[in-house]
DNA sequence: TCCTATGTTGTATG
DNA sequence: ACATACAACATAGG
C-alpha cells in the first residue's frame, strides 16, 4: 500500500513508542527483509535503547535510537508493496509476517510485511547513514523545480510519462496510484512520451505533482485514524480499481491497461493521446 | 486454477 | 556510459 503519504501515516503509528526503551527485540533473521542487515548487531544494540525520533522521506522511514553505551542508532524501514507498521500489546506474539517486533514496557512496535518486498536497515554511528542522506530532494522541497522536471523528462524522452513518474531519483515517494492521480489531474495521457510534453504541460505536471503530494500528506499522512484513510471521491483513487468505474470529473468510463509493467488507470475523455 | 497486487533491482539489449 | 524494457522476487486474496 505504501507511497509517500501512507509511509508518513505508518511512521506516525510508532509515535506511541517515543521516549520509551526497547525491552526486547524479536525478529525472523532469515526473512528477506533483513538481506542487507546484521540482525545480530541490530538486536543487541537496540535492546535497551530508547526511541528518540522518527522521520519519513520518499518511501523510506528513519527511526533514531539512543543508548547509554553506544553511538546513535539508526533504524531504516522501507515498506515495499505490503509492509505496515502497527502498535500491539506489550506481550505480542509475532505472527508469520511480523518480521520485527520492538517490545517496550507498555506496547510492541511491529513491522509486518507478508510479501517481503520491504527492507529493514540498521546503522550505528554519529552520522545518518548513506541510504538516508542520499535520497533525492523531496517533491515539496525548493529543489523540486519545474526546470529540474523538464531536464529529467528530456533525458527519458522516449519513455512513456507514466513509468517516468515512478522513478524515485526524481519523483521520490511517488508510486502507482499517485502517478495516475497526477496524470489525471494534469490531463495527460500516461503513454505520452516524456519528451513530447510542451513547456506548459511540464509546468502543469510539476504543479499537480506538488498538489497531489501536499493533499495526500494532509488527508492520509497527517491522519491519526486507526485505519488508513482513503482520498475522497473527488479524486481518481476511489474509482480506479472497480470495473465500470467512471471519471469523477467527466463521468466518462475509465480505462485500465498495463503501461511500463504497472496497471494504469486513466480517463480517455480527459486525457487524450 | 488463474489472476491480480500502492515496489525495487538486476540483467539484457540497443 | 546511458537509456530502455522486463523478469524476478514472495505471498495472499478474489
Amino acid at each position: 500500500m505504501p507511497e509517500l503519504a501512507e509511509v508518513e501515516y505508518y511512521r506516525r503509528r510508532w509515535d506511541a513508542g517515543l521516549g520509551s526503551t526497547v525491552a526486547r527485540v524479536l525478529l525472523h533473521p532469515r526473512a528477506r527483509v533483513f538481506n542487507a542487515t546484521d540482525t545480530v548487531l541490530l538486536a543487541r544494540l537496540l535492546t535497551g535503547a530508547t526511541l528518540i525520533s522518527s522521520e519519513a522521506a520518499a518511501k523510506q522511514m528513519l527511526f533514531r535510537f539512543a543508548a547509554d553505551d553506544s553511538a546513535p542508532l539508526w533504524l531504516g524501514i522501507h515498506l515495499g508493496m505490503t509492509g505496515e507498521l502497527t502498535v500491539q500489546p506489550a506481550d505480542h506474539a509475532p505472527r508469520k509476517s511480523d518480521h520485527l517486533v520492538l517490545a517496550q514496557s507498555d506496547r510492541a512496535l511491529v513491522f509486518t510485511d507478508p510479501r517481503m518486498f520491504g527492507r529493514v536497515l540498521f546503522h550505528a554511528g554519529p552520522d545518518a547513514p548513506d541510504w538516508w542522506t542520499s535520497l533525492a530532494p523531496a517533491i515539496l522541497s525548493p529543489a523540486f523545480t519545474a526546470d529540474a522536471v523538464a531536464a529529467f523528462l528530456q533525458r527519458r524522452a522516449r519513455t512513456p510519462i507514466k513509468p517516468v513518474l515512478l522513478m524515485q531519483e526524481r519523483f521520490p515517494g511517488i508510486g502507482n496510484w499517485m502517478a495516475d492521480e497526477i496524470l489525471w489531474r494534469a490531463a495527460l495521457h500516461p503513454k505520452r512520451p516524456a519528451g513530447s510534453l510542451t513547456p506548459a504541460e511540464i509546468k502543469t505536471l510539476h504543479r499537480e505533482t506538488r498538489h497531489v503530494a501536499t493533499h495526500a500528506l494532509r488527508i492520509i499522512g497527517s491522519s491519526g485514524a486507526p485505519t488508513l484513510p482513503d482520498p475522497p471521491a473527488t479524486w481518481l483513487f476511489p474509482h480506479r480499481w472497480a470495473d465500470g468505474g467512471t471519471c469523477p470529473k467527466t463521468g466518462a468510463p475509465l480505462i485500465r491497461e498495463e503501461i511500463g509493467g504497472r496497471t494504469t488507470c486513466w480517463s480517455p475523455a480527459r486525457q487524450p493521446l
Side-chain angles (χ1 to χ4, degrees), chain A residues 97-182:
Chain A
S97 299
D98 295 341
H99 307 300
L100 179 64
V101 176
L102 305 179
Q104 300 178 321
S105 59
D106 293 341
R107 70 198 71 74
L109 308 177
V110 179
F111 165 55
T112 185
D113 181 12
R115 245 172 120 180
M116 294 195 282
F117 290 172
R119 281 292 177 270
V120 175
L121 302 170
F122 184 70
H123 171 72
D127 301 313
D130 287 348
W131 45 259
W132 178 257
T133 56
S134 64
L135 291 170
I139 285 164
L140 297 179
S141 76
F144 184 78
T145 62
D147 284 348
V149 170
F152 189 75
L153 299 196
Q154 213 41 250
R155 270 208 294 142
R156 312 287 179 168
R158 293 159 59 178
T159 305
I161 185 64
K162 165 64 188 280
V164 171
L165 278 177
L166 296 176
M167 294 178 179
Q168 301 297 297
E169 67 262 39
R170 179 45 70 193
F171 300 97
I174 299 301
N176 203 33
W177 79 255
M178 290 183 85
D180 285 356
E181 200 77 43
I182 291 162

Side-chain angles (χ1 to χ4, degrees), chain A residues 119-259:
Chain A
R119 281 292 177 270
V120 175
L121 302 170
F122 184 70
H123 171 72
D127 301 313
D130 287 348
W131 45 259
W132 178 257
T133 56
S134 64
L135 291 170
I139 285 164
L140 297 179
S141 76
F144 184 78
T145 62
D147 284 348
V149 170
F152 189 75
L153 299 196
Q154 213 41 250
R155 270 208 294 142
R156 312 287 179 168
R158 293 159 59 178
T159 305
I161 185 64
K162 165 64 188 280
V164 171
L165 278 177
L166 296 176
M167 294 178 179
Q168 301 297 297
E169 67 262 39
R170 179 45 70 193
F171 300 97
I174 299 301
N176 203 33
W177 79 255
M178 290 183 85
D180 285 356
E181 200 77 43
I182 291 162
L183 292 172
W184 175 72
R185 286 193 57 95
L188 292 167
H189 193 291
K191 284 185 184 170
R192 286 279 301 279
S196 75
L197 271 63
T198 66
E201 287 173 331
I202 293 173
K203 286 200 74 169
T204 302
L205 181 74
H206 172 256
R207 183 182 71 239
E208 298 304 345
T209 300
R210 293 177 57 96
H211 179 100
V212 169
T214 300
H215 289 270
L217 282 168
R218 201 167 289 166
I219 295 163
I220 299 170
S222 303
S223 169
T227 56
L228 195 67
D230 280 346
T234 52
W235 289 41
L236 178 64
F237 184 96
H239 311 277
R240 55 178 286 122
W241 295 121
D243 287 336
T246 56
C247 169
K249 283 190 191 288
T250 67
L254 295 170
I255 297 265
R256 277 202 310 276
E257 189 182 312
E258 189 162 296
I259 299 176

